[in-house]
Amino acid sequence: LVAMCVREAGKTVPDSIAEVREAVDFLRYYAARAREEFGKPLRMPGPTGESNELSLHGRGVFVCISPWNFPLAIFAGQVAAALAAGNAVIAKPAEQTPLVAAQAVRLMLQAGIPGEVLHFLPGDGAIVGARAVADRRVAGVAFTGSTETAHLIHRALAGREGPIPVLIAETGGQNAMIADSSALPEQVVIDAVQSSINSAGQRCSALRVLCVQEDIAPKVKHLLAGYMSELVIGDPALLATDVGPVIDVAAREILERHSRSIVQGAAWHHRCELGPATRAGTFVAPLAVEIKAIDVLEREVFGPVLHVLQYRARDLESLVDSINGTGYGLTFGIHSRIDSTVRRVTSRITAGNVYVNRNMIGAVVGTQPFGGYGLSGTGPKA
């Protein structure tokens, strides 16, 4: 499975190992929840005082549509959640990564999941996924992917006749991190690079906008450029590699267009260099670039691009307002050694997951609920 994640999704070896671990965590988590919630008959008093048993059952058929950036973990998590709650599942993987998902289904069937309740349906999202979602026999959809596709699914479900289906969605985010002048610049840089460039920036939870108080901004930018220059970009199968390729040519072209545009007139930027090992493949050189305001970003940039925004201490409240104003609400980070600042900011930010003085990726199954609000989804999903 690790090798398949490397070959098919371009994930580095450490990321692929973490992927398999997370898939295992999801399976164990939902198995434990199923035992806890459904392991014993639920008895309710009847009208004459006798005890009646209630049967617990799922809603029916769930379509689980998973993304290519976590082709095993999210795929297994969505399928396991729906099955554990008593539903049959149509499992539709991303068209870029069907082989990892197919192997996961083989293992699930070998482990004893009945074939009549788990059906593997690979194919193009606009055709296969759309047909499955539109079918009146489908009782619900679990989706992880882009905000645009979530809107399409929502509209398709809303337009159906009959019972109202369920939509559990987790999409992207314009995820921000605030670092005030009390933060340790070295720690900010390490956590910012891990959050924005790990997995080639192809995580829904990835940091997109680093907001640095102007008092420490010069040092942070200096350290950031130095740290990025040390990154090894290349073959994800090699343990020395820090950053692998992006998923496909279309993704690379979108990222390159944005990179060319955003550096125009920028007060500062730093971009890694691509070596000979990246001549073949869909590699994108990580970029850090200064922007003047968060609203210059019209949509999420799904790749290794970190936007750096300087702010003045007196503008902290308006900065939080502008982050909330994007409409996204998936992850958020704050670096500060002033407890009152941490409390003030975290109480006002609208994000599903808030991280204090650490990186913003890698929520642990069963420990930290994960899911976003607004344009980022329908709330915690695990």
Side-chain angles (χ1 to χ4, degrees), residues 176-180 207 209-213 294 307-311 319 323:
M177 175 189 288
I178 292 177
D180 72 9
L207 170 62
V209 185
L210 174 61
C211 308
V212 185
Q213 191 171 326
I294 197 169
H307 306 91
V308 180
L309 173 64
Q310 292 190 46
Y311 75 94
L319 175 63
I323 294 170

Side-chain angles (χ1 to χ4, degrees), residues 124-181:
D124 183 85
I127 300 172
V128 175
R131 286 287 294 275
V133 168
D135 196 301
R136 290 184 60 186
R137 294 168 294 179
V138 169
V141 176
F143 170 76
T144 301
S146 71
T147 302
E148 291 81 5
T149 303
H151 278 304
L152 292 174
I153 294 172
H154 185 222
R155 284 195 288 269
L157 294 176
R160 280 171 33 184
E161 298 294 330
I164 299 172
V166 176
L167 173 60
I168 301 167
E170 186 256 296
T171 59
Q174 203 64 277
N175 309 310
M177 175 189 288
I178 292 177
D180 72 9
S181 60

Side-chain angles (χ1 to χ4, degrees), residues 180 316 334 336 338-346:
D180 72 9
L316 180 59
I334 180 167
S336 175
I338 303 172
D339 289 347
S340 60
T341 299
V342 172
R343 286 193 297 269
R344 193 166 105 225
V345 171
T346 57

Side-chain angles (χ1 to χ4, degrees), residues 172-244:
Q174 203 64 277
N175 309 310
M177 175 189 288
I178 292 177
D180 72 9
S181 60
S182 74
L184 187 66
E186 291 83 358
Q187 184 184 353
V188 171
V189 167
I190 290 172
D191 290 342
V193 170
Q194 286 179 349
S195 301
S196 62
I197 296 176
N198 181 279
S199 302
Q202 299 174 123
R203 291 177 180 245
C204 299
S205 58
L207 170 62
R208 305 299 180 199
V209 185
L210 174 61
C211 308
V212 185
Q213 191 171 326
E214 61 182 5
D215 308 72
I216 62 168
K219 185 173 183 179
V220 167
K221 290 189 290 186
H222 174 72
L223 292 172
L224 181 59
Y227 188 20
M228 289 177 61
S229 296
E230 296 297 318
L231 297 173
V232 176
I233 307 157
D235 185 349
L238 301 178
L239 282 173
T241 298
D242 297 308
V243 185

Side-chain angles (χ1 to χ4, degrees), residues 36 49 89 130 156 159 251 314:
E36 182 180 336
V89 171
R314 64 176 179 269

Side-chain angles (χ1 to χ4, degrees), residues 253-337:
E253 290 176 351
I254 291 171
L255 289 163
E256 290 296 349
R257 279 200 302 272
H258 173 77
S259 297
R260 288 192 298 269
S261 172
I262 201 72
V263 298
Q264 297 297 321
W268 173 88
H269 75 275
H270 177 81
R271 194 165 198 191
C272 300
E273 293 184 6
L274 295 179
T278 63
R279 286 175 183 161
T282 54
F283 294 92
V284 173
L287 169 68
V289 56
E290 188 170 345
I291 58 174
K292 294 180 180 178
I294 197 169
D295 56 13
V296 304
L297 303 174
E298 297 178 355
R299 55 171 295 168
E300 181 184 26
V301 179
F302 207 73
V305 181
L306 176 61
H307 306 91
V308 180
L309 173 64
Q310 292 190 46
Y311 75 94
R312 294 170 295 187
R314 64 176 179 269
D315 297 330
L316 180 59
E317 298 292 334
S318 60
L319 175 63
V320 173
D321 289 338
S322 66
I323 294 170
N324 288 338
T326 64
Y328 292 93
L330 188 56
T331 62
F332 171 79
I334 180 167
H335 273 256
S336 175
R337 287 183 277 188

